[in-house]
Amino acid sequence: MRKIFKGLAAALVLVVVLTVLGVGVDGWRLYRNAVEQTGIEQAVEQVRAQEGYTPLDQLPALYPQAVVAVEDRRFYDHNGVDPIAIARAVWVNLRTGSLAEGGSTLTQQLAKNLYFTQEKKFTRKVAEVFTAWDLERRYTKDEILELYINSIYYGEGYYGICSASRGYFGKDPTEMTDYECTLLAGVPNAPSVYAPTVNPDLAAQRQRQVVDSLVDTGCITEQQAQEILAGE
């Protein structure tokens, strides 16, 4: 009986290994096909050529800080993939029996915006990883963050920070207040849920999470947080 169990265990391990290898190979192929059709530099230039593209140094300083704090606080330390975030996502997904958590970094999200669909498949996630590594080899962290901010979806048909700021606040992003920065930074996580024109109460709750993340990462003090939320 023990030999039977050992044989079954070995067979199960083999199946898992072959499945993982298969997904890895398919993900690599998806990545290669994507970048062969549209090169990394070409895809990046398409984003930069869009109307309203806003360089990082023209944004209020708090906005990119808020994005990193709430979305990917180890952004400046990882190489495009965050093992800690992936481990956390795997644990959550195992507990819930879903793919609710992705563990994607800002670089992976940029890769998805440039090349892939929103469909939650392991093959696509692997392709994202290869593309993220490619982006990290070619561009600085600030360039990647700038591209992300200018390409992410903010709900209500708004893509990129300029379109979102004009659409929600009627102003260019250079003119956003700290209150508006923290409100908008929380939207891309779930645009259909956190768009301030759709669910103002949920948008405010998400804004509180953004502000708390800024406090946790030492970007602002608790007093500054209270002033921001009060619109001061």
Side-chain angles (χ1 to χ4, degrees):
M1 184 65 70
R2 185 176 297 176
K3 289 183 179 180
I4 294 176
F5 281 127
K6 285 184 178 179
L8 290 173
L12 180 60
V13 169
L14 180 61
V15 169
V16 171
V17 170
L18 291 175
T19 300
V20 170
L21 288 175
V23 170
V25 170
D26 289 343
W28 166 259
R29 287 174 179 164
L30 181 59
Y31 151 71
R32 289 305 308 167
N33 288 338
V35 297
E36 284 173 4
Q37 290 181 26
T38 305
I40 293 285
E41 291 88 351
Q42 182 181 350
V44 165
E45 287 310 310
Q46 287 174 354
V47 175
R48 288 175 170 167
Q50 292 174 0
E51 181 182 356
Y53 184 89
T54 307
L56 213 58
D57 61 8
Q58 292 182 21
L59 289 168
L62 188 67
Y63 185 74
Q65 291 177 349
V67 171
V68 171
V70 76
E71 291 288 345
D72 185 4
R73 62 179 58 184
R74 286 180 291 276
F75 173 68
Y76 285 97
D77 298 319
H78 62 61
N79 67 344
V81 179
D82 185 353
I84 296 175
I86 291 175
R88 183 181 64 246
V90 169
W91 172 245
V92 171
N93 291 336
L94 286 174
R95 285 192 304 160
T96 61
S98 69
L99 289 176
E101 287 282 328
S104 293
T105 63
L106 291 181
T107 314
Q108 286 175 264
Q109 292 180 58
L110 174 61
K112 179 173 60 179
N113 294 342
L114 292 177
Y115 289 106
F116 308 113
T117 68
Q118 302 296 317
E119 191 176 13
K120 293 184 176 181
K121 284 190 172 181
F122 287 116
T123 300
R124 195 263 294 163
K125 295 294 292 184
V126 173
E128 272 182 25
V129 168
F130 286 119
T131 310
W133 285 336
D134 205 342
L135 285 164
E136 292 270 347
R137 285 195 299 270
R138 298 168 187 264
Y139 299 97
T140 67
K141 287 291 188 177
D142 283 350
E143 287 174 326
I144 290 170
L145 179 58
E146 182 178 291
L147 289 163
Y148 169 84
I149 288 172
N150 280 279
S151 62
I152 199 69
Y153 183 54
Y154 289 85
E156 296 284 53
Y158 304 133
Y159 285 88
I161 183 65
C162 187
S163 176
S165 180
R166 289 174 178 174
Y168 287 123
F169 310 133
K171 62 176 68 172
D172 287 337
T174 55
E175 302 169 331
M176 289 192 301
T177 65
D178 288 348
Y179 180 90
E180 291 165 341
C181 284
T182 54
L183 182 65
L184 202 55
V187 174
N189 181 261
S192 61
V193 176
Y194 296 129
T197 52
V198 176
N199 293 309
D201 290 340
L202 291 178
Q205 291 178 28
R206 177 63 175 166
Q207 182 184 26
R208 175 78 247 192
Q209 294 176 349
V210 172
V211 172
D212 287 344
S213 294
L214 283 165
V215 174
D216 290 343
T217 53
C219 294
I220 61 174
T221 65
E222 185 59 46
Q223 167 140 9
Q224 289 173 314
Q226 297 306 319
E227 291 171 354
I228 289 171
L229 291 173
E232 298 177 8

